[in-house]
Amino acid sequence: MSMLAKTDGRPTEPPDTGAGAAAEDRHRLTATQGLAALSLDAMASVAYGPESIVLVLAAAGAHGLGFTLPVTLAIAALLSVLVASYRQVIAAFPDGGGSYAVAKRHLGRRTSLVTAASLILDYVLNVAVSVTAGVAALTSAFPSLYGDRVWLCLGVLVVVTAVNLRGIVESAKAFIVPTAVFVGSILLMIVMGLFRSAPASTAAAHGHASVLADNATTVGALLLLKAFASGCSALTGVEAVANAVPSFRAPRVKRAQRTEVALGALLGIMLIGLSVLIGRFHLQPVEGVTVLAQLADASLGHNWAFYVVQFATMILLALAANTSFGGLPVLMALLARDNYLPHVFGLKADRQVHRHGVLALAAVSAGLLVFSGGDVNTLVPLFSIGVFVGFTICQVGMVRHWRQERSAGWLGKALLNGFGAVLTGVATVVVTATKFTEGAWLIVLALPVLVLAFEAVHRAYGRIGERLELGRVPEPPRRCHSVVVVPVSSLSRLTSKALTAAVSLGDEVVAVTVAHPDAESLRRDWELWNPGVSLVELPAQAGSLGRPIVRYVRDLSERHPDNRVTVLIPEVEPAHVWQRLLQNQRGTVVAHAVRRDTDAVICRLRFRIT
């Protein structure tokens, strides 16, 4: 059933009513919870966004650092464009999907797949980068843990995955306090810094070598573009809310929009505030100490407040992976609905969580963590390219959306999105070009590979649909003569239950047994029991249990092609899980052989032992 209702040509949400909807809403997000669950990536980016700008501008010396605030203001302007755009995306596409949904409707199937692939790559890399960055902060404080960084990364990943398997609301509740502490400490640091005329302390940077270039007096346009592109890494995560609109409580569009605006406002304030402090304190980047640590030192002093900021930053960087767990499973569910991913990714658990998507994201991220050895520098060059591809395609798609809709003020909205598309397009080209030799070529290669994989899955579902004649009126059902084959090895209550079920299901029932040392005894007992069902003894084949039964079923089907053959396999269901280890697994062996080599219906009868 469609999640959209049409009103005046615009998609709107259907009202959620009834006890079922109320129960489901308990496992969905409020606006505040959405900020905690879906904004950690963007919030944590203030720890490395301003630093990325400063490190690039440092190549032009102190004169270059003077452009930190103008570059940040340009990024904040782009942020406002993106927030305004994604706010409209949320309203136009309440089923979620963000950039993928926009591209699918307005730019065609292939473009939408490129968007989806770019977002998947970004989400997976976000998990790996966030976890390694958080662990790097921990090992910086405790160097003795450096040798165990891979295991620490995997441990953090397990914790975040386990929380998300309990539902997105549970993850939001778990992470809302760290998010509040981080945002509160950053805002306090900015306010305190604005009231200081000089740094309260420079202890954090003392003794560390400066990376500032000497004797540079000019700043070229290319350097500014590179600084802008590097700083745009702070914008990753802005799209997560639009991708996960179905995860919000009703009215989900309004809640998601409020979350998007709050995210943009907080991120913009923090980025601009930190850049102002960089200029106010004439901060210079040094080796081994982050820009954020220097700012905390200068604003708050080298005391307990400084360590609170560092600890909150470490925690939030590690937990920023949660943004991917909130957005990617929803995107994968939409791709599964469109037959571009296995349908299992569209299934939801009781707590409204796409469990298979969460587990798939965790598995791929774990592989990346092991591959990188827990080193964040190995992963950073690959990061943020995918999300800018999605940004650009989304902006272009929204331009076409406004041109087709032509609602009030459509021209201004289209110009805004067009300007955003130019900015994000430039950022995409610059980031890709500057990081290509550092590893970004892997992303350029992975994008088409993912798109080809989507196409392969889609073709496979298409072939299945053709064989099943989906979308056509099938021929009416007709009754066939039904033959039920029951494998037996001895006389027992299980055998009696199996034959009772068989005579209830079929027109003809045949019990079969594979020749074994006690076959003669079984035959005599069968004749004495006389259940009214004939027993057929099948010759053994090199100790195989499945092949003789498969051959018998095939012979039945060939002699009577109009018959419907069912193989009913009786099995014991023990009272305790550990007792399954005591079973001989004959039923599983027979079922696998029959399923693999015949078209017979398989029915597995469970006899529960209490």
Side-chain angles (χ1 to χ4, degrees):
M1 182 181 294
S2 173
M3 294 293 291
L4 304 179
K6 293 289 185 179
T7 306
D8 298 331
R10 295 186 182 185
T12 59
E13 295 178 82
D16 290 332
T17 58
E24 285 189 3
D25 255 11
R26 290 190 299 105
H27 300 299
R28 299 186 190 274
L29 298 169
T30 63
T32 302
Q33 291 171 342
L35 200 60
L38 300 171
S39 70
L40 296 183
D41 178 16
M43 293 295 184
S45 66
V46 302
Y48 50 79
E51 182 158 10
S52 299
I53 299 171
V54 169
L55 288 175
V56 173
L57 293 177
H63 184 64
L65 293 180
F67 287 86
T68 301
L69 183 58
V71 171
T72 304
L73 290 175
I75 293 172
L78 176 57
L79 172 64
S80 65
V81 172
L82 290 172
V83 169
S85 174
Y86 277 105
R87 190 174 182 276
Q88 298 301 324
V89 171
I90 290 169
F93 299 90
D95 273 355
S99 302
Y100 168 70
V102 174
K104 179 186 171 186
R105 180 180 296 182
H106 297 296
L107 300 176
R109 180 178 60 85
R110 186 60 60 84
T111 305
S112 71
L113 295 182
V114 172
T115 305
S118 66
L119 289 174
I120 287 175
L121 290 172
D122 182 71
Y123 276 135
V124 172
L125 285 167
N126 172 58
V127 174
V129 169
S130 299
V131 170
T132 52
V135 170
L138 179 64
T139 56
S140 296
F142 303 98
S144 61
L145 298 176
Y146 184 78
D148 299 320
R149 63 191 183 280
V150 174
W151 291 109
L152 290 171
C153 288
L154 294 176
V156 172
L157 180 61
V158 168
V159 171
V160 176
T161 303
V163 172
N164 277 276
L165 286 174
R166 292 185 55 81
I168 193 169
V169 171
E170 296 300 322
S171 70
K173 291 178 180 178
F175 301 150
I176 196 167
V177 172
T179 304
V181 172
F182 176 79
V183 173
S185 61
I186 295 297
L187 293 178
L188 176 63
M189 184 178 75
I190 293 171
V191 171
M192 293 292 291
L194 291 176
F195 282 96
R196 293 189 184 277
S197 57
S201 169
T202 59
H206 181 70
H208 293 267
S210 174
V211 299
L212 196 68
D214 296 326
N215 303 321
T217 58
T218 60
V219 179
L222 184 60
L223 186 68
L224 290 176
L225 280 176
K226 186 176 180 181
F228 173 79
S230 297
C232 279
S233 61
L235 302 181
T236 57
V238 172
E239 79 292 344
V241 176
N243 287 339
V245 178
S247 299
F248 284 85
R249 293 182 186 178
R252 62 176 61 97
V253 166
K254 290 184 178 179
R255 290 184 187 274
Q257 286 179 324
R258 285 199 291 267
T259 302
E260 186 72 52
V261 171
L263 167 61
L266 284 173
L267 182 57
I269 290 171
M270 289 191 290
L271 288 175
I272 295 173
L274 293 176
S275 296
V276 169
L277 293 186
I278 289 171
R280 189 178 185 87
F281 295 136
H282 304 290
L283 183 142
Q284 296 182 8
V286 298
E287 294 180 354
V289 180
T290 65
V291 168
L292 190 64
Q294 292 187 66
L295 290 177
D297 198 30
S299 297
L300 303 174
H302 204 76
N303 49 33
W304 63 269
F306 168 82
Y307 289 102
V308 167
V309 173
Q310 295 305 104
F311 186 73
T313 303
M314 177 192 70
I315 295 296
L316 206 73
L317 278 169
L319 299 183
N322 196 67
T323 297
S324 295
F325 283 98
L328 182 56
V330 176
L331 175 61
M332 294 177 75
L334 292 176
L335 286 166
R337 187 189 65 185
D338 295 337
N339 295 331
Y340 291 111
L341 281 179
H343 289 170
V344 69
F345 291 114
L347 299 179
K348 279 186 180 181
D350 294 338
R351 293 175 176 267
Q352 297 299 302
V353 57
H354 296 91
R355 187 164 294 165
H356 294 90
V358 170
L359 291 174
L361 173 58
V364 176
S365 301
L368 271 178
L369 291 173
V370 173
F371 169 76
S372 66
D375 181 16
V376 68
N377 293 324
T378 304
L379 298 169
V380 165
L382 312 178
F383 191 43
S384 80
I385 296 173
V387 74
F388 280 108
V389 173
F391 282 163
T392 305
I393 293 175
C394 182
Q395 299 290 319
V396 174
M398 288 306 292
V399 171
R400 295 199 65 178
H401 175 78
W402 298 127
R403 287 185 61 189
Q404 292 176 9
E405 189 179 78
R406 292 183 178 271
S407 57
W410 73 270
L411 183 58
K413 296 175 182 177
L415 289 174
L416 183 66
N417 290 131
F419 179 62
V422 172
L423 291 180
T424 54
V426 169
T428 303
V429 173
V430 174
V431 171
T432 304
T434 55
K435 296 182 177 181
F436 189 82
T437 57
E438 300 175 24
W441 62 269
L442 283 171
I443 302 301
V444 177
L445 180 64
L447 271 174
V449 170
L450 267 179
V451 172
L452 291 175
F454 294 152
E455 295 279 18
V457 172
H458 193 70
R459 285 194 300 271
Y461 276 123
R463 289 192 295 269
I464 293 171
E466 289 178 4
R467 293 298 302 272
L468 295 177
E469 297 184 354
L470 295 178
R472 306 176 191 172
V473 178
E475 62 182 23
R478 58 188 177 87
R479 180 176 175 79
C480 297
H481 183 76
S482 177
V483 180
V484 182
V485 177
V486 183
V488 298
S489 59
S490 62
L491 290 187
S492 65
R493 188 179 176 190
L494 179 62
T495 307
S496 175
K497 290 282 186 181
L499 294 182
T500 299
V503 297
S504 302
L505 291 173
D507 302 310
E508 180 183 349
V509 178
V510 180
V512 297
T513 184
V514 178
H516 55 84
D518 296 328
E520 183 66 28
S521 174
L522 174 62
R523 187 165 51 252
R524 287 197 306 269
D525 292 341
W526 195 274
E527 291 174 355
L528 290 173
W529 183 35
N530 191 20
V533 174
S534 60
L535 176 66
V536 177
E537 186 175 337
L538 305 177
Q541 294 182 7
S544 173
L545 179 64
R547 281 201 296 268
I549 296 175
V550 166
R551 176 174 291 182
Y552 180 77
V553 170
R554 280 179 172 174
D555 291 342
L556 276 179
S557 300
E558 290 173 0
R559 290 199 307 268
H560 306 284
D562 291 335
N563 286 356
R564 170 56 63 190
V565 180
T566 300
V567 180
L568 188 147
I569 304 171
E571 295 177 297
V572 172
E573 182 79 14
H576 304 287
V577 174
W578 68 268
Q579 291 175 335
R580 294 179 183 177
L581 299 173
L582 307 178
Q583 294 177 281
N584 56 29
Q585 305 300 326
R586 287 185 178 181
T588 302
V589 171
V590 172
H592 176 71
V594 173
R595 179 182 294 111
R596 182 188 59 202
D597 298 325
T598 75
D599 293 328
V601 177
I602 298 173
C603 178
R604 303 181 74 168
L605 175 69
R606 306 283 187 176
F607 181 70
R608 299 183 182 276
I609 297 178
T610 58

